[in-house]
Amino acid sequence: MGNHKKKRSQNGNLNRWIPDPMAVTWTEKYSDTINNFWKILPSTVRQSLATISIFLVGISINGDWVNIFVHIARQFGYTGRGKNSSGDVLFKWSEMSLESLGLQDFWSYWMYSCLVSYLMYFVIGGFLHWYFYVRRRDRAEEWKCQPKKWLSPELERHEIILGSLTLFLNASTSALLACYIANGGYSTVYYNVADYGWLWFFLQWPVIFIYQDYVTYWMHRIYHTPFLYRNFHKLHHKYKQPTAFSVTAIHPVEALHIQLMDILPLFIIPTHWFPFYVVALYTYYHGIIDHSGVNFKAYWWQPWQPDAIFHDNHHQYFHVNFAFNIDYWDKLHGTYRRKDRVYTEDIFYGKGKRIDEVSAEELKADLKERESENPLAYRDNKMEFKLSNRELKAMKRPKK
Ligand SMILES: [Zn+2]
Ligand SMILES: [Zn+2]
């Protein structure tokens, strides 16, 4: 142990360690201490701790823990303290107040939402950084999607600063929603399964999941068109080797846009809070896994779910693989990565360019990118996009 620290200092990073609130270098400084503690835990405990951490960071990055909290309270009969807890908000401009807006106690919700979310983001997020990266930095070829390439310390810091800003915005929106719901504001959320029957209770799981994933696919794809890409989404693509912290490192406008689209079902269809937030948890969990840069693979019971390399490819090759939890959308719309195509940041619209259309330099750069991938991140541990000389020759031959 301690070897990885030496490696980092060779890059000039940890020579003089200064506590930096916007970097997780503390996990590197205390790596040996954390590891001494970690070593004595049974492996099942370690596994569970890691999984719980991913979920905790997941519900914190959008501030959604406060919504879950409110729904549990309402499930058990809490109806709010405000005078509008009956559900009808009597609004008059002359008597404008938080109470008249159905937002009694908003500032407490807001404070707790931000405070707890930041604490989880930095502390548990820091732990995940240690768990994914610091702990086994020396053996990257065993687990990393792009084992030869690392995000620079500057970009690691960049994604935490941007992520913190987005977190503030999302946690504030969540606090607003939670407070409004707690005070009995209008929504189509229900708590008693019998209100709409068991059939709808079970049907809404796939309805919510498919709605959110398909909408996110299209939004993501639209944010990859030249204007929106250059002005907003490009920020998220500074990280060619994404890490768990990249997941919320997106432009605030885009972050808010996604959040508002995601909560829409709470206002238009009868939604039981439980499936809604379990689906949200699933999505956040995979957001972290898919950005982790680690060769995680989907389980047998998730046939819709791509492996982590799918979104890692999106960061490495830019305009391709726009989906998140259901890769079928890309297959359906022809934006799934193809072996016979070249993708770069300048080739828009998700279809890439044919091998016989690109310049020699572009092809050379592309083949080099492919070489830097890890076969262990693919199914059967075989590099899915590696081109043999014979295949390459056949593709370069002009079509008749
Ligand atoms: Zn993107
Ligand atoms: Zn991403």
Side-chain angles (χ1 to χ4, degrees), residues 64 66-67 70-71 102-103 106 109 170-187 189 259 263-264 266-267 276-277:
D64 252 338
V66 70
N67 282 305
V70 160
H71 287 299
L103 292 173
F106 171 71
Y109 284 91
N170 285 151
S172 302
T173 314
S174 288
L176 192 71
L177 179 67
C179 174
Y180 172 78
I181 298 274
N183 282 300
Y186 172 81
S187 77
V189 180
Q259 193 180 15
I263 61 173
L264 217 57
L266 299 177
F267 298 94
F276 185 87
Y277 282 100

PDB file of all heavy atoms in Angstrom, residues 64 66-67 70-71 102-103 106 109 170-187 189 259 263-264 266-267 276-277:
ATOM      1  N   ASP A  64     -33.073  14.236  -3.483  1.00  0.00           N
ATOM      2  CA  ASP A  64     -34.334  13.512  -3.453  1.00  0.00           C
ATOM      3  C   ASP A  64     -34.606  12.808  -2.136  1.00  0.00           C
ATOM      4  O   ASP A  64     -35.730  12.387  -1.882  1.00  0.00           O
ATOM      5  CB  ASP A  64     -34.408  12.507  -4.609  1.00  0.00           C
ATOM      6  CG  ASP A  64     -35.399  12.970  -5.658  1.00  0.00           C
ATOM      7  OD1 ASP A  64     -36.276  13.783  -5.313  1.00  0.00           O
ATOM      8  OD2 ASP A  64     -35.293  12.524  -6.808  1.00  0.00           O
ATOM      9  N   VAL A  66     -35.036  14.132   0.571  1.00  0.00           N
ATOM     10  CA  VAL A  66     -36.026  14.925   1.303  1.00  0.00           C
ATOM     11  C   VAL A  66     -37.447  14.626   0.805  1.00  0.00           C
ATOM     12  O   VAL A  66     -38.397  14.582   1.577  1.00  0.00           O
ATOM     13  CB  VAL A  66     -35.667  16.438   1.264  1.00  0.00           C
ATOM     14  CG1 VAL A  66     -35.840  17.047  -0.107  1.00  0.00           C
ATOM     15  CG2 VAL A  66     -36.489  17.220   2.279  1.00  0.00           C
ATOM     16  N   ASN A  67     -37.568  14.336  -0.491  1.00  0.00           N
ATOM     17  CA  ASN A  67     -38.871  13.933  -1.027  1.00  0.00           C
ATOM     18  C   ASN A  67     -39.303  12.578  -0.491  1.00  0.00           C
ATOM     19  O   ASN A  67     -40.464  12.377  -0.130  1.00  0.00           O
ATOM     20  CB  ASN A  67     -38.817  13.882  -2.557  1.00  0.00           C
ATOM     21  CG  ASN A  67     -38.904  15.267  -3.155  1.00  0.00           C
ATOM     22  OD1 ASN A  67     -39.841  15.997  -2.869  1.00  0.00           O
ATOM     23  ND2 ASN A  67     -37.920  15.642  -3.950  1.00  0.00           N
ATOM     24  N   VAL A  70     -40.527  12.979   3.002  1.00  0.00           N
ATOM     25  CA  VAL A  70     -41.866  13.568   3.085  1.00  0.00           C
ATOM     26  C   VAL A  70     -42.946  12.551   2.723  1.00  0.00           C
ATOM     27  O   VAL A  70     -43.986  12.454   3.385  1.00  0.00           O
ATOM     28  CB  VAL A  70     -41.959  14.820   2.175  1.00  0.00           C
ATOM     29  CG1 VAL A  70     -43.402  15.166   1.848  1.00  0.00           C
ATOM     30  CG2 VAL A  70     -41.252  15.995   2.832  1.00  0.00           C
ATOM     31  N   HIS A  71     -42.674  11.747   1.690  1.00  0.00           N
ATOM     32  CA  HIS A  71     -43.691  10.767   1.278  1.00  0.00           C
ATOM     33  C   HIS A  71     -43.884   9.692   2.336  1.00  0.00           C
ATOM     34  O   HIS A  71     -45.009   9.235   2.562  1.00  0.00           O
ATOM     35  CB  HIS A  71     -43.328  10.151  -0.064  1.00  0.00           C
ATOM     36  CG  HIS A  71     -43.538  11.101  -1.193  1.00  0.00           C
ATOM     37  ND1 HIS A  71     -44.769  11.618  -1.493  1.00  0.00           N
ATOM     38  CD2 HIS A  71     -42.666  11.675  -2.064  1.00  0.00           C
ATOM     39  CE1 HIS A  71     -44.655  12.462  -2.519  1.00  0.00           C
ATOM     40  NE2 HIS A  71     -43.381  12.512  -2.878  1.00  0.00           N
ATOM     41  N   GLY A 102     -48.624  27.798   0.198  1.00  0.00           N
ATOM     42  CA  GLY A 102     -48.604  26.381   0.564  1.00  0.00           C
ATOM     43  C   GLY A 102     -47.193  25.894   0.811  1.00  0.00           C
ATOM     44  O   GLY A 102     -46.880  24.727   0.603  1.00  0.00           O
ATOM     45  N   LEU A 103     -46.309  26.815   1.214  1.00  0.00           N
ATOM     46  CA  LEU A 103     -44.901  26.443   1.399  1.00  0.00           C
ATOM     47  C   LEU A 103     -44.427  26.745   2.825  1.00  0.00           C
ATOM     48  O   LEU A 103     -43.303  27.196   3.035  1.00  0.00           O
ATOM     49  CB  LEU A 103     -44.019  27.192   0.393  1.00  0.00           C
ATOM     50  CG  LEU A 103     -44.188  26.790  -1.067  1.00  0.00           C
ATOM     51  CD1 LEU A 103     -43.394  27.725  -1.975  1.00  0.00           C
ATOM     52  CD2 LEU A 103     -43.744  25.349  -1.297  1.00  0.00           C
ATOM     53  N   PHE A 106     -40.664  26.398   4.405  1.00  0.00           N
ATOM     54  CA  PHE A 106     -39.778  26.126   3.265  1.00  0.00           C
ATOM     55  C   PHE A 106     -38.306  26.222   3.635  1.00  0.00           C
ATOM     56  O   PHE A 106     -37.493  25.393   3.217  1.00  0.00           O
ATOM     57  CB  PHE A 106     -40.066  27.062   2.082  1.00  0.00           C
ATOM     58  CG  PHE A 106     -39.029  26.937   1.002  1.00  0.00           C
ATOM     59  CD1 PHE A 106     -38.981  25.796   0.209  1.00  0.00           C
ATOM     60  CD2 PHE A 106     -38.065  27.925   0.802  1.00  0.00           C
ATOM     61  CE1 PHE A 106     -37.997  25.640  -0.755  1.00  0.00           C
ATOM     62  CE2 PHE A 106     -37.077  27.776  -0.164  1.00  0.00           C
ATOM     63  CZ  PHE A 106     -37.042  26.633  -0.947  1.00  0.00           C
ATOM     64  N   TYR A 109     -36.842  23.092   5.093  1.00  0.00           N
ATOM     65  CA  TYR A 109     -36.672  22.045   4.075  1.00  0.00           C
ATOM     66  C   TYR A 109     -35.433  22.325   3.235  1.00  0.00           C
ATOM     67  O   TYR A 109     -34.633  21.451   2.941  1.00  0.00           O
ATOM     68  CB  TYR A 109     -37.898  21.991   3.150  1.00  0.00           C
ATOM     69  CG  TYR A 109     -39.096  21.334   3.763  1.00  0.00           C
ATOM     70  CD1 TYR A 109     -40.044  22.069   4.460  1.00  0.00           C
ATOM     71  CD2 TYR A 109     -39.283  19.957   3.649  1.00  0.00           C
ATOM     72  CE1 TYR A 109     -41.154  21.464   5.030  1.00  0.00           C
ATOM     73  CE2 TYR A 109     -40.397  19.335   4.209  1.00  0.00           C
ATOM     74  CZ  TYR A 109     -41.314  20.092   4.901  1.00  0.00           C
ATOM     75  OH  TYR A 109     -42.401  19.491   5.464  1.00  0.00           O
ATOM     76  N   ASN A 170     -30.437  21.476  -7.775  1.00  0.00           N
ATOM     77  CA  ASN A 170     -31.344  20.331  -7.700  1.00  0.00           C
ATOM     78  C   ASN A 170     -31.864  20.121  -6.280  1.00  0.00           C
ATOM     79  O   ASN A 170     -33.034  19.789  -6.083  1.00  0.00           O
ATOM     80  CB  ASN A 170     -30.653  19.050  -8.198  1.00  0.00           C
ATOM     81  CG  ASN A 170     -30.524  19.010  -9.705  1.00  0.00           C
ATOM     82  OD1 ASN A 170     -29.617  18.411 -10.257  1.00  0.00           O
ATOM     83  ND2 ASN A 170     -31.440  19.656 -10.403  1.00  0.00           N
ATOM     84  N   ALA A 171     -31.003  20.314  -5.288  1.00  0.00           N
ATOM     85  CA  ALA A 171     -31.433  20.129  -3.896  1.00  0.00           C
ATOM     86  C   ALA A 171     -32.453  21.209  -3.521  1.00  0.00           C
ATOM     87  O   ALA A 171     -33.381  20.952  -2.765  1.00  0.00           O
ATOM     88  CB  ALA A 171     -30.235  20.165  -2.955  1.00  0.00           C
ATOM     89  N   SER A 172     -32.288  22.412  -4.075  1.00  0.00           N
ATOM     90  CA  SER A 172     -33.247  23.479  -3.803  1.00  0.00           C
ATOM     91  C   SER A 172     -34.599  23.161  -4.445  1.00  0.00           C
ATOM     92  O   SER A 172     -35.655  23.348  -3.831  1.00  0.00           O
ATOM     93  CB  SER A 172     -32.732  24.817  -4.334  1.00  0.00           C
ATOM     94  OG  SER A 172     -31.491  25.115  -3.757  1.00  0.00           O
ATOM     95  N   THR A 173     -34.562  22.671  -5.689  1.00  0.00           N
ATOM     96  CA  THR A 173     -35.811  22.302  -6.368  1.00  0.00           C
ATOM     97  C   THR A 173     -36.504  21.172  -5.607  1.00  0.00           C
ATOM     98  O   THR A 173     -37.728  21.178  -5.438  1.00  0.00           O
ATOM     99  CB  THR A 173     -35.532  21.844  -7.814  1.00  0.00           C
ATOM    100  OG1 THR A 173     -34.633  22.774  -8.397  1.00  0.00           O
ATOM    101  CG2 THR A 173     -36.785  21.770  -8.632  1.00  0.00           C
ATOM    102  N   SER A 174     -35.716  20.207  -5.147  1.00  0.00           N
ATOM    103  CA  SER A 174     -36.293  19.095  -4.397  1.00  0.00           C
ATOM    104  C   SER A 174     -36.915  19.572  -3.095  1.00  0.00           C
ATOM    105  O   SER A 174     -37.977  19.089  -2.701  1.00  0.00           O
ATOM    106  CB  SER A 174     -35.223  18.048  -4.080  1.00  0.00           C
ATOM    107  OG  SER A 174     -34.877  17.365  -5.245  1.00  0.00           O
ATOM    108  N   ALA A 175     -36.263  20.524  -2.436  1.00  0.00           N
ATOM    109  CA  ALA A 175     -36.794  21.062  -1.180  1.00  0.00           C
ATOM    110  C   ALA A 175     -38.131  21.750  -1.435  1.00  0.00           C
ATOM    111  O   ALA A 175     -39.086  21.591  -0.675  1.00  0.00           O
ATOM    112  CB  ALA A 175     -35.804  22.043  -0.569  1.00  0.00           C
ATOM    113  N   LEU A 176     -38.199  22.483  -2.545  1.00  0.00           N
ATOM    114  CA  LEU A 176     -39.428  23.178  -2.918  1.00  0.00           C
ATOM    115  C   LEU A 176     -40.557  22.171  -3.128  1.00  0.00           C
ATOM    116  O   LEU A 176     -41.663  22.310  -2.592  1.00  0.00           O
ATOM    117  CB  LEU A 176     -39.172  23.973  -4.204  1.00  0.00           C
ATOM    118  CG  LEU A 176     -40.218  24.985  -4.608  1.00  0.00           C
ATOM    119  CD1 LEU A 176     -40.202  26.172  -3.657  1.00  0.00           C
ATOM    120  CD2 LEU A 176     -39.961  25.484  -6.031  1.00  0.00           C
ATOM    121  N   LEU A 177     -40.256  21.121  -3.883  1.00  0.00           N
ATOM    122  CA  LEU A 177     -41.245  20.081  -4.170  1.00  0.00           C
ATOM    123  C   LEU A 177     -41.677  19.376  -2.885  1.00  0.00           C
ATOM    124  O   LEU A 177     -42.871  19.186  -2.640  1.00  0.00           O
ATOM    125  CB  LEU A 177     -40.648  19.081  -5.174  1.00  0.00           C
ATOM    126  CG  LEU A 177     -41.541  17.911  -5.555  1.00  0.00           C
ATOM    127  CD1 LEU A 177     -42.747  18.386  -6.353  1.00  0.00           C
ATOM    128  CD2 LEU A 177     -40.757  16.883  -6.385  1.00  0.00           C
ATOM    129  N   ALA A 178     -40.687  19.003  -2.062  1.00  0.00           N
ATOM    130  CA  ALA A 178     -40.988  18.266  -0.834  1.00  0.00           C
ATOM    131  C   ALA A 178     -41.867  19.102   0.100  1.00  0.00           C
ATOM    132  O   ALA A 178     -42.841  18.606   0.665  1.00  0.00           O
ATOM    133  CB  ALA A 178     -39.695  17.872  -0.137  1.00  0.00           C
ATOM    134  N   CYS A 179     -41.520  20.377   0.234  1.00  0.00           N
ATOM    135  CA  CYS A 179     -42.261  21.263   1.123  1.00  0.00           C
ATOM    136  C   CYS A 179     -43.694  21.448   0.623  1.00  0.00           C
ATOM    137  O   CYS A 179     -44.654  21.386   1.383  1.00  0.00           O
ATOM    138  CB  CYS A 179     -41.526  22.598   1.191  1.00  0.00           C
ATOM    139  SG  CYS A 179     -42.396  23.837   2.097  1.00  0.00           S
ATOM    140  N   TYR A 180     -43.812  21.638  -0.672  1.00  0.00           N
ATOM    141  CA  TYR A 180     -45.126  21.827  -1.309  1.00  0.00           C
ATOM    142  C   TYR A 180     -46.007  20.591  -1.095  1.00  0.00           C
ATOM    143  O   TYR A 180     -47.175  20.690  -0.734  1.00  0.00           O
ATOM    144  CB  TYR A 180     -44.869  22.096  -2.792  1.00  0.00           C
ATOM    145  CG  TYR A 180     -46.079  22.135  -3.675  1.00  0.00           C
ATOM    146  CD1 TYR A 180     -46.898  23.257  -3.712  1.00  0.00           C
ATOM    147  CD2 TYR A 180     -46.380  21.045  -4.489  1.00  0.00           C
ATOM    148  CE1 TYR A 180     -48.002  23.283  -4.541  1.00  0.00           C
ATOM    149  CE2 TYR A 180     -47.482  21.068  -5.323  1.00  0.00           C
ATOM    150  CZ  TYR A 180     -48.290  22.184  -5.350  1.00  0.00           C
ATOM    151  OH  TYR A 180     -49.381  22.211  -6.160  1.00  0.00           O
ATOM    152  N   ILE A 181     -45.428  19.406  -1.306  1.00  0.00           N
ATOM    153  CA  ILE A 181     -46.174  18.156  -1.127  1.00  0.00           C
ATOM    154  C   ILE A 181     -46.525  17.958   0.349  1.00  0.00           C
ATOM    155  O   ILE A 181     -47.649  17.575   0.691  1.00  0.00           O
ATOM    156  CB  ILE A 181     -45.334  16.942  -1.637  1.00  0.00           C
ATOM    157  CG1 ILE A 181     -45.045  17.071  -3.145  1.00  0.00           C
ATOM    158  CG2 ILE A 181     -46.007  15.616  -1.283  1.00  0.00           C
ATOM    159  CD1 ILE A 181     -46.086  16.543  -4.074  1.00  0.00           C
ATOM    160  N   ALA A 182     -45.562  18.260   1.226  1.00  0.00           N
ATOM    161  CA  ALA A 182     -45.802  18.082   2.661  1.00  0.00           C
ATOM    162  C   ALA A 182     -46.965  18.948   3.124  1.00  0.00           C
ATOM    163  O   ALA A 182     -47.747  18.560   3.977  1.00  0.00           O
ATOM    164  CB  ALA A 182     -44.539  18.415   3.456  1.00  0.00           C
ATOM    165  N   ASN A 183     -47.099  20.127   2.527  1.00  0.00           N
ATOM    166  CA  ASN A 183     -48.173  21.041   2.905  1.00  0.00           C
ATOM    167  C   ASN A 183     -49.483  20.755   2.176  1.00  0.00           C
ATOM    168  O   ASN A 183     -50.421  21.549   2.237  1.00  0.00           O
ATOM    169  CB  ASN A 183     -47.741  22.490   2.658  1.00  0.00           C
ATOM    170  CG  ASN A 183     -46.803  22.993   3.745  1.00  0.00           C
ATOM    171  OD1 ASN A 183     -47.169  23.030   4.910  1.00  0.00           O
ATOM    172  ND2 ASN A 183     -45.586  23.346   3.382  1.00  0.00           N
ATOM    173  N   GLY A 184     -49.504  19.669   1.455  1.00  0.00           N
ATOM    174  CA  GLY A 184     -50.747  19.266   0.809  1.00  0.00           C
ATOM    175  C   GLY A 184     -51.040  19.952  -0.505  1.00  0.00           C
ATOM    176  O   GLY A 184     -52.190  20.029  -0.941  1.00  0.00           O
ATOM    177  N   GLY A 185     -49.992  20.433  -1.181  1.00  0.00           N
ATOM    178  CA  GLY A 185     -50.175  21.087  -2.478  1.00  0.00           C
ATOM    179  C   GLY A 185     -50.666  20.107  -3.544  1.00  0.00           C
ATOM    180  O   GLY A 185     -50.567  18.893  -3.371  1.00  0.00           O
ATOM    181  N   TYR A 186     -51.174  20.646  -4.662  1.00  0.00           N
ATOM    182  CA  TYR A 186     -51.731  19.780  -5.703  1.00  0.00           C
ATOM    183  C   TYR A 186     -50.675  18.871  -6.325  1.00  0.00           C
ATOM    184  O   TYR A 186     -49.584  19.308  -6.695  1.00  0.00           O
ATOM    185  CB  TYR A 186     -52.363  20.616  -6.830  1.00  0.00           C
ATOM    186  CG  TYR A 186     -52.767  19.733  -7.988  1.00  0.00           C
ATOM    187  CD1 TYR A 186     -53.955  19.016  -7.944  1.00  0.00           C
ATOM    188  CD2 TYR A 186     -51.905  19.563  -9.084  1.00  0.00           C
ATOM    189  CE1 TYR A 186     -54.298  18.153  -8.963  1.00  0.00           C
ATOM    190  CE2 TYR A 186     -52.257  18.702 -10.120  1.00  0.00           C
ATOM    191  CZ  TYR A 186     -53.453  18.002 -10.055  1.00  0.00           C
ATOM    192  OH  TYR A 186     -53.784  17.144 -11.055  1.00  0.00           O
ATOM    193  N   SER A 187     -50.999  17.598  -6.423  1.00  0.00           N
ATOM    194  CA  SER A 187     -50.184  16.658  -7.191  1.00  0.00           C
ATOM    195  C   SER A 187     -51.076  15.453  -7.450  1.00  0.00           C
ATOM    196  O   SER A 187     -52.184  15.374  -6.915  1.00  0.00           O
ATOM    197  CB  SER A 187     -48.947  16.232  -6.397  1.00  0.00           C
ATOM    198  OG  SER A 187     -49.294  15.281  -5.411  1.00  0.00           O
ATOM    199  N   VAL A 189     -50.025  12.429  -6.767  1.00  0.00           N
ATOM    200  CA  VAL A 189     -49.438  11.361  -5.951  1.00  0.00           C
ATOM    201  C   VAL A 189     -50.512  10.790  -5.030  1.00  0.00           C
ATOM    202  O   VAL A 189     -51.337  11.531  -4.508  1.00  0.00           O
ATOM    203  CB  VAL A 189     -48.291  11.923  -5.074  1.00  0.00           C
ATOM    204  CG1 VAL A 189     -47.678  10.821  -4.225  1.00  0.00           C
ATOM    205  CG2 VAL A 189     -47.223  12.562  -5.941  1.00  0.00           C
ATOM    206  N   GLN A 259     -34.509  17.363 -14.455  1.00  0.00           N
ATOM    207  CA  GLN A 259     -35.250  17.145 -13.209  1.00  0.00           C
ATOM    208  C   GLN A 259     -36.740  17.428 -13.387  1.00  0.00           C
ATOM    209  O   GLN A 259     -37.585  16.658 -12.943  1.00  0.00           O
ATOM    210  CB  GLN A 259     -34.663  18.033 -12.100  1.00  0.00           C
ATOM    211  CG  GLN A 259     -35.156  17.645 -10.710  1.00  0.00           C
ATOM    212  CD  GLN A 259     -34.578  18.528  -9.600  1.00  0.00           C
ATOM    213  OE1 GLN A 259     -34.035  19.601  -9.874  1.00  0.00           O
ATOM    214  NE2 GLN A 259     -34.688  18.087  -8.361  1.00  0.00           N
ATOM    215  N   ILE A 263     -39.971  14.685 -12.971  1.00  0.00           N
ATOM    216  CA  ILE A 263     -41.029  14.718 -11.949  1.00  0.00           C
ATOM    217  C   ILE A 263     -42.426  14.940 -12.530  1.00  0.00           C
ATOM    218  O   ILE A 263     -43.406  14.904 -11.809  1.00  0.00           O
ATOM    219  CB  ILE A 263     -40.745  15.767 -10.841  1.00  0.00           C
ATOM    220  CG1 ILE A 263     -40.671  17.188 -11.423  1.00  0.00           C
ATOM    221  CG2 ILE A 263     -39.475  15.424 -10.066  1.00  0.00           C
ATOM    222  CD1 ILE A 263     -40.556  18.265 -10.348  1.00  0.00           C
ATOM    223  N   LEU A 264     -42.492  15.131 -13.832  1.00  0.00           N
ATOM    224  CA  LEU A 264     -43.782  15.381 -14.482  1.00  0.00           C
ATOM    225  C   LEU A 264     -44.874  14.368 -14.105  1.00  0.00           C
ATOM    226  O   LEU A 264     -46.008  14.773 -13.824  1.00  0.00           O
ATOM    227  CB  LEU A 264     -43.574  15.427 -16.003  1.00  0.00           C
ATOM    228  CG  LEU A 264     -44.407  16.435 -16.770  1.00  0.00           C
ATOM    229  CD1 LEU A 264     -44.194  17.849 -16.255  1.00  0.00           C
ATOM    230  CD2 LEU A 264     -44.096  16.362 -18.263  1.00  0.00           C
ATOM    231  N   LEU A 266     -45.602  13.029 -11.474  1.00  0.00           N
ATOM    232  CA  LEU A 266     -46.179  13.339 -10.157  1.00  0.00           C
ATOM    233  C   LEU A 266     -47.321  14.339 -10.260  1.00  0.00           C
ATOM    234  O   LEU A 266     -48.049  14.568  -9.301  1.00  0.00           O
ATOM    235  CB  LEU A 266     -45.109  13.923  -9.217  1.00  0.00           C
ATOM    236  CG  LEU A 266     -43.899  13.052  -8.894  1.00  0.00           C
ATOM    237  CD1 LEU A 266     -42.911  13.809  -8.026  1.00  0.00           C
ATOM    238  CD2 LEU A 266     -44.345  11.780  -8.180  1.00  0.00           C
ATOM    239  N   PHE A 267     -47.456  14.962 -11.443  1.00  0.00           N
ATOM    240  CA  PHE A 267     -48.495  15.971 -11.607  1.00  0.00           C
ATOM    241  C   PHE A 267     -49.516  15.629 -12.693  1.00  0.00           C
ATOM    242  O   PHE A 267     -50.487  16.340 -12.871  1.00  0.00           O
ATOM    243  CB  PHE A 267     -47.863  17.339 -11.910  1.00  0.00           C
ATOM    244  CG  PHE A 267     -46.986  17.814 -10.787  1.00  0.00           C
ATOM    245  CD1 PHE A 267     -45.625  17.557 -10.810  1.00  0.00           C
ATOM    246  CD2 PHE A 267     -47.537  18.450  -9.685  1.00  0.00           C
ATOM    247  CE1 PHE A 267     -44.814  17.959  -9.750  1.00  0.00           C
ATOM    248  CE2 PHE A 267     -46.739  18.847  -8.624  1.00  0.00           C
ATOM    249  CZ  PHE A 267     -45.377  18.602  -8.651  1.00  0.00           C
ATOM    250  N   PHE A 276     -42.460   5.263  -7.742  1.00  0.00           N
ATOM    251  CA  PHE A 276     -41.785   6.417  -8.351  1.00  0.00           C
ATOM    252  C   PHE A 276     -40.371   6.581  -7.791  1.00  0.00           C
ATOM    253  O   PHE A 276     -39.401   6.744  -8.547  1.00  0.00           O
ATOM    254  CB  PHE A 276     -42.593   7.706  -8.112  1.00  0.00           C
ATOM    255  CG  PHE A 276     -42.001   8.895  -8.822  1.00  0.00           C
ATOM    256  CD1 PHE A 276     -42.350   9.172 -10.137  1.00  0.00           C
ATOM    257  CD2 PHE A 276     -41.071   9.717  -8.185  1.00  0.00           C
ATOM    258  CE1 PHE A 276     -41.787  10.262 -10.805  1.00  0.00           C
ATOM    259  CE2 PHE A 276     -40.511  10.803  -8.843  1.00  0.00           C
ATOM    260  CZ  PHE A 276     -40.875  11.067 -10.154  1.00  0.00           C
ATOM    261  N   TYR A 277     -40.241   6.508  -6.473  1.00  0.00           N
ATOM    262  CA  TYR A 277     -38.919   6.750  -5.897  1.00  0.00           C
ATOM    263  C   TYR A 277     -38.009   5.528  -5.939  1.00  0.00           C
ATOM    264  O   TYR A 277     -36.790   5.668  -5.920  1.00  0.00           O
ATOM    265  CB  TYR A 277     -39.038   7.371  -4.498  1.00  0.00           C
ATOM    266  CG  TYR A 277     -39.362   8.839  -4.646  1.00  0.00           C
ATOM    267  CD1 TYR A 277     -40.658   9.303  -4.488  1.00  0.00           C
ATOM    268  CD2 TYR A 277     -38.382   9.741  -5.049  1.00  0.00           C
ATOM    269  CE1 TYR A 277     -40.969  10.645  -4.699  1.00  0.00           C
ATOM    270  CE2 TYR A 277     -38.677  11.079  -5.267  1.00  0.00           C
ATOM    271  CZ  TYR A 277     -39.960  11.525  -5.088  1.00  0.00           C
ATOM    272  OH  TYR A 277     -40.255  12.842  -5.317  1.00  0.00           O
TER     273      TYR A 277
END
